[in-house]
Amino acid sequence: MENISEEHACCCGENRNYDEADIPEILPAPEPSGLPNVALIGNANTGKTTLFNSLTGLRQHVGNYPGVTVTKYSGPLKLFHGEKIELTDLPGIYSLAATSKDERVVIDVLSGRMAKKGAPRPDAIVCVVDVNNLQRNLFLATQVAELGIPMVLVLNQIDVARRDGLKINTDLLRERLGIPVISVSARRGEGIDALKQAIADVLKNGNKMKTVSWNAGTRKAIETLRNGLSEEVSKRVSDAELQRVIFDVASLVANRLKGEDIEYIGELLKKARACIRDAGENPHSTEALQRYAFIREILAGVMHRGKDRTTVTSLVDKFLLNRVFGILFFLAAMWGVFWCIYALASFPMDWIDGWFSALGESIGAKLEGSPIFQSLVVDGIIAGVGGVLVFLPQILILFFFLGLLESTGYMARAAFLMDKLFGWCGLNGKSFVPMLSGYACGIPGIMGARTIEDPKARLATILAVPFMSCGARMPVYVLMCALLGRITNPTTATLVFIGMYFVGILVAVPVSWFYTKYILKSKTAPFVLEMPRYQLPRLRDIGLRVWQSGWEYTRRAGTIIFAMSVIIWALSYFPRNEATEERARTEFVAETAAAQNITLAESAKLLETAESAETPTAAQAELVSALSNKIGGAWMEDSYIGRFGKFCQPIFAPCGFDWRITAGVIGAFPARELIVSTLGITYSLGGDVDEESEGLYESMEKSTHADGTPVFTIPVIIGIMVFFALCGQCLAEIVVIARESSWKWAGIAWAQMTFLAWLGAVLCYQIGNLLA
């Protein structure tokens, strides 16, 4: 891990490739607003987003850039005299070396390549720099200036600069750059009106920033490259884009120019770079050398710093970055975040679950005359929507704490501490928080991986998060460990319960190593990260992030999860015929007669009386409920999902699963905790049972195979838990993986986790039987 230096700030993200086939189409192109479009650009940790929030407030629109999963934030901004503009917050980047998704989006937007898809080329740019790191931050500004777009330079955190004794001659800087230079404090709202006026002036006057005067070797390289292109291509490619082709190791523009004849472009690029080498310079370092020479010339006499003094940030870092105390504090902080996600969300999650259950009962009572429509509405639609929204509290709490840690500046320190721990398996320091969050819910954990800049490390993290045992797996563990405790003893059951939470991480780490080494083939690159100053969090900004993340989850995941829940309902409901019901009724009459030692006729009469009673006794109500559960179990067995469970049962036979467990595994695809209710239905106990239902335990204990051997032996019970510990968490998670990466990787994640889960269950059952 290393801080960003002056000469290498531009190289952040080089050598990172991203397959365009992995980028799904998320949203249709938005309708253009017709307003002047102004883009906000800057390095990470410069306060750019805080400034954007100050300017736009709650009038923000959250979506995605066309064709990519990079989030787009935009909003209207009212200037003076009633004039309005559309302000867009571009992703925070360190350079225009378009290798990461964020960098590629920025250069596409600024070059106008997204104009036809609804992301027009900006009419002006507001470049935000941290005034305390002015020389380094101006590197990006000089790159953007090459695009020839009118610009305003914003010197943010001017209040901190004053406190540290730093003085800036903005008039001299404005004169040398040729554009408005405005000092602001986005946190305090200082300089906002002056910035609005500067934006209005730039839109009117078209002020463009002075650019670097390249040396002869670089000018000849650009000229050589342009002269070698066809006239059609040369017309649509700017000098700024040609610079990216020459200077960058892995260039988006170079990949596009390869087009029809890859070898020809490759040879042309070699000739262009040879011009720089002939001048005695390296084509991959000459940009940084020439740009920083230009920046130092611009800043000569502009900055005046007082006597150096120890800052609060340096004092706090001595403790928080200490190899002992820093780790202890980090573990305590992460435990606190995890506890809050898990504990604080329980009440609103229970409330949401209870509210949807009550809604289902209320609407179900009004639809009793239409059983199919009743089941569709209650078990399909209401249960599907509830299954989406029940995880919303965890997501909101997670993003609140992520925003809190980021806004204070601690997140960068946490990433630094964890980088060495995860570096060997291809992950980096920022992978830890998403993986920790996965223990509460995999969905916010996967979404939390967005903070990882390296696309390969981000993808490896996304594939690792689902192995963490989320809250939805707890009902499975509770049910199986309670059953295990009845067979063995409570101590054994407790130890197994705790051990299940370590199974995922023990598999996730080697799987990540395998992916990064053999599939993604990513090399462990230096972890480049800028350490921001510590500061008090802005609750307004955190609140905006929480709201935006919650809405994005509901909008993205809700539609597909809802549709799939209805499909699963249909597969578990149909077909229904009278023959199945009559068979179940006949079996129930026989079972009742045997249980009460009466004749079949007496049993049938007893059931008929109970069903026709206007005010049934407790015994009669229990009898009718038992019959209903029996019929429900028969319908489940005869449903498409029940038939599919029997069809797949031979696959799960090496795990020791019978068709009921197999049907439960399949039926639990939308949400893993659904196996409890599915088992309740298949064992004729009804779908409203939970992991503490005594009747379910008794039925599972008595369950046998065709040869009379028990189904739920110790190896089978542990195998079921291992299967659920390693398989994908839920349908919502698969959808979110697809949204954050692609459907291809979502399919790969589901397939590999399902196989590992099956293999783990097989090993548990087979080895357990050998040792028994």
Side-chain angles (χ1 to χ4, degrees):
M1 187 331 189
E2 57 189 79
N3 289 331
I4 295 178
S5 65
E6 288 181 357
E7 304 302 327
H8 295 89
C10 62
C11 300
C12 181
E14 283 196 354
N15 296 320
R16 294 179 293 172
N17 300 316
Y18 196 88
D19 185 0
E20 294 216 27
D22 291 342
I23 303 177
E25 188 74 16
I26 300 297
L27 293 174
E31 292 294 328
S33 63
L35 299 174
N37 185 31
V38 176
L40 213 60
I41 191 172
N43 292 175
N45 300 316
T46 57
K48 177 175 61 68
T49 298
T50 301
L51 179 61
F52 176 74
N53 291 336
S54 297
L55 292 170
T56 61
L58 295 174
R59 302 179 301 277
Q60 298 179 13
H61 311 297
V62 184
N64 284 86
Y65 288 97
V68 293
T69 55
V70 177
T71 305
K72 175 184 179 182
Y73 297 95
S74 61
L77 172 62
K78 188 175 182 179
L79 301 178
F80 300 101
H81 309 296
E83 185 180 0
K84 289 184 178 181
I85 64 169
E86 185 75 13
L87 188 65
T88 300
D89 184 15
L90 294 176
I93 60 174
Y94 289 103
S95 80
L96 293 185
T99 51
S100 72
K101 283 197 298 182
D102 290 354
E103 292 165 346
R104 292 171 70 168
V105 162
V106 171
I107 196 169
D108 277 350
V109 171
L110 295 182
S111 62
R113 293 186 179 275
M114 282 193 173
K116 293 182 179 180
K117 296 182 178 181
R121 188 173 191 261
D123 298 297
I125 293 173
V126 175
C127 186
V128 183
V129 300
D130 179 358
V131 67
N132 301 281
N133 297 300
L134 186 56
Q135 182 169 328
R136 181 169 67 244
N137 287 182
L138 279 178
F139 187 95
L140 176 63
T142 62
Q143 286 185 323
V144 175
E146 303 284 352
L147 294 165
I149 303 174
M151 185 189 301
V152 176
L153 185 68
V154 173
L155 308 181
N156 195 20
Q157 301 187 35
I158 193 65
D159 55 329
V160 177
R162 284 196 297 262
R163 186 189 65 197
D164 292 346
L166 176 63
K167 297 180 180 179
I168 303 293
N169 188 338
T170 55
D171 292 333
L172 180 58
L173 186 59
R174 182 184 303 114
E175 179 183 341
R176 290 179 176 177
L177 293 177
I179 58 174
V181 177
I182 309 297
S183 298
V184 305
S185 172
R187 289 174 54 82
R188 298 176 180 272
E190 178 183 344
I192 298 299
D193 287 341
L195 174 57
K196 291 181 180 180
Q197 184 61 58
I199 294 173
D201 293 342
V202 162
L203 288 171
K204 179 180 179 181
N205 302 324
N207 306 80
K208 297 178 182 179
M209 179 175 161
K210 182 181 178 181
T211 58
V212 176
S213 297
W214 300 108
N215 60 27
T218 302
R219 291 198 303 271
K220 186 175 180 181
I222 296 172
E223 183 181 355
T224 299
L225 185 58
R226 181 173 293 283
N227 292 339
L229 298 175
S230 67
E231 184 177 353
E232 180 184 355
V233 174
S234 181
K235 285 182 179 179
R236 65 172 185 263
V237 179
S238 65
D239 278 357
E241 291 176 290
L242 294 183
Q243 292 169 21
R244 302 271 50 88
V245 175
I246 296 170
F247 296 144
D248 299 339
V249 175
S251 171
L252 165 67
V253 183
N255 291 337
R256 284 175 173 161
L257 291 180
K258 288 178 181 178
E260 299 176 357
D261 193 337
I262 297 177
E263 293 183 2
Y264 170 70
I265 295 298
E267 290 299 318
L268 182 60
L269 184 55
K270 288 180 181 178
K271 291 180 181 179
R273 288 174 174 170
C275 296
I276 297 177
R277 290 191 175 94
D278 291 343
E281 297 181 359
N282 188 318
H284 300 307
S285 63
T286 187
E287 178 187 23
L289 294 172
Q290 294 186 67
R291 286 196 187 280
Y292 278 117
F294 171 75
I295 292 170
R296 283 190 288 269
E297 181 183 341
I298 291 292
L299 293 181
V302 170
M303 296 188 298
H304 303 278
R305 189 181 295 273
K307 184 182 298 184
D308 290 339
R309 58 182 180 177
T310 303
T311 63
V312 173
T313 294
S314 61
L315 289 174
V316 175
D317 276 344
K318 288 182 179 180
F319 172 76
L320 294 184
L321 295 182
N322 182 274
R323 64 179 60 189
V324 177
F325 296 110
I327 292 291
L328 293 176
F329 179 85
F330 170 78
L331 293 176
M334 292 301 102
W335 181 88
V337 171
F338 172 68
W339 182 87
C340 289
I341 292 173
Y342 190 76
L344 298 183
S346 60
F347 174 75
M349 290 179 72
D350 291 342
W351 183 86
I352 292 173
D353 185 56
W355 188 86
F356 275 98
S357 296
L359 179 65
E361 291 178 3
S362 175
I363 294 179
K366 298 177 182 179
L367 299 175
E368 288 184 349
S370 304
I372 296 179
F373 187 62
Q374 178 195 50
S375 183
L376 169 63
V377 173
V378 176
D379 300 326
I381 298 176
I382 294 178
V385 173
V388 174
L389 296 183
V390 74
F391 295 109
L392 189 58
Q394 288 183 326
I395 290 172
L396 298 180
I397 292 173
L398 170 68
F399 277 97
F400 171 79
F401 280 106
L402 287 179
L404 186 68
L405 293 173
E406 286 185 359
S407 62
T408 58
Y410 181 72
M411 186 67 81
R413 276 80 181 174
F416 167 77
L417 291 171
M418 289 295 104
D419 182 58
K420 289 185 179 180
L421 182 63
F422 286 97
W424 72 271
C425 63
L427 304 177
N428 64 40
K430 289 189 176 182
S431 301
F432 181 77
V433 173
M435 292 174 70
L436 180 70
S437 304
Y439 277 102
C441 178
I443 295 170
I446 293 167
M447 294 169 68
R450 295 174 181 177
T451 59
I452 303 171
E453 292 86 0
D454 186 341
K456 290 184 178 180
R458 183 192 309 138
L459 181 58
T461 303
I462 288 172
L463 296 176
V465 167
F467 284 106
M468 308 302 109
S469 286
C470 68
R473 289 175 167 122
M474 178 176 279
V476 183
Y477 298 162
V478 170
L479 174 66
M480 294 301 159
C481 285
L483 185 60
L484 182 64
R486 295 164 75 106
I487 298 174
T488 58
N489 57 76
T491 302
T492 300
T494 302
L495 292 175
V496 171
F497 180 84
I498 296 172
M500 284 301 109
Y501 282 89
F502 290 94
V503 171
I505 189 68
L506 291 176
V507 174
V509 172
V511 167
S512 298
W513 173 83
F514 176 82
Y515 267 102
T516 54
K517 185 173 180 64
Y518 296 106
I519 306 299
L520 300 175
K521 297 181 179 179
S522 60
K523 297 180 180 179
T524 303
F527 183 41
V528 184
L529 185 68
E530 182 175 9
M531 291 292 190
R533 293 170 177 265
Y534 290 110
Q535 57 186 5
L536 293 175
R538 290 193 71 194
L539 294 181
R540 181 172 177 269
D541 292 346
I542 296 174
L544 278 173
R545 174 173 181 170
V546 169
W547 178 85
Q548 290 163 351
S549 300
W551 168 247
E552 188 176 2
Y553 161 75
T554 304
R555 175 181 58 82
R556 282 186 172 189
T559 52
I560 296 180
I561 298 170
F562 166 73
M564 288 300 297
S565 297
V566 173
I567 292 173
I568 295 294
W569 163 83
L571 293 175
S572 61
Y573 187 90
F574 295 105
R576 293 204 172 187
N577 54 66
E578 294 181 359
T580 301
E581 183 176 353
E582 286 301 320
R583 173 173 56 82
R585 180 181 287 273
T586 301
E587 291 176 358
F588 183 79
V589 168
E591 292 169 359
T592 303
Q596 300 189 18
N597 197 22
I598 58 178
T599 65
L600 291 176
E602 289 173 332
S603 177
K605 181 64 176 177
L606 184 66
L607 181 59
E608 182 181 349
T609 302
E611 288 182 305
S612 61
E614 293 184 3
T615 54
T617 64
Q620 289 176 328
E622 184 178 350
L623 188 66
V624 172
S625 177
L627 172 63
S628 177
N629 292 338
K630 179 71 175 181
I631 294 173
W635 275 334
M636 170 63 78
E637 182 178 357
D638 196 45
S639 68
Y640 292 120
I641 202 168
R643 296 176 185 180
F644 189 63
K646 290 184 176 181
F647 175 78
C648 294
Q649 200 277 326
I651 299 175
F652 289 91
C655 308
F657 295 2
D658 69 349
W659 78 266
R660 291 180 177 87
I661 301 175
T662 304
V665 168
I666 298 170
F669 177 58
R672 291 308 175 189
E673 65 270 29
L674 291 180
I675 189 176
V676 180
S677 59
T678 304
L679 288 174
I681 294 173
T682 57
Y683 280 105
S684 304
L685 298 173
D688 56 350
V689 300
D690 57 31
E691 63 272 17
E692 299 178 358
S693 297
E694 184 67 24
L696 182 56
Y697 291 133
E698 294 178 355
S699 296
M700 292 168 68
E701 283 182 297
K702 296 176 182 178
S703 177
T704 60
H705 292 290
D707 59 2
T709 58
V711 172
F712 290 93
T713 61
I714 293 176
V716 170
I717 293 171
I718 296 178
I720 291 173
M721 287 189 283
V722 169
F723 182 90
F724 276 88
L726 297 180
C727 68
Q729 293 178 359
C730 60
L731 171 64
E733 183 182 73
I734 300 300
V735 173
V736 174
I737 290 175
R739 293 301 194 189
E740 296 298 311
S741 56
S742 71
W743 280 106
K744 180 186 81 173
W745 282 109
I748 291 173
W750 179 85
Q752 62 125 12
M753 293 192 72
T754 303
F755 172 75
L756 290 174
W758 176 85
L759 181 62
V762 169
L763 293 176
C764 287
Y765 179 68
Q766 300 297 336
I767 296 175
N769 282 342
L770 290 175
L771 297 176

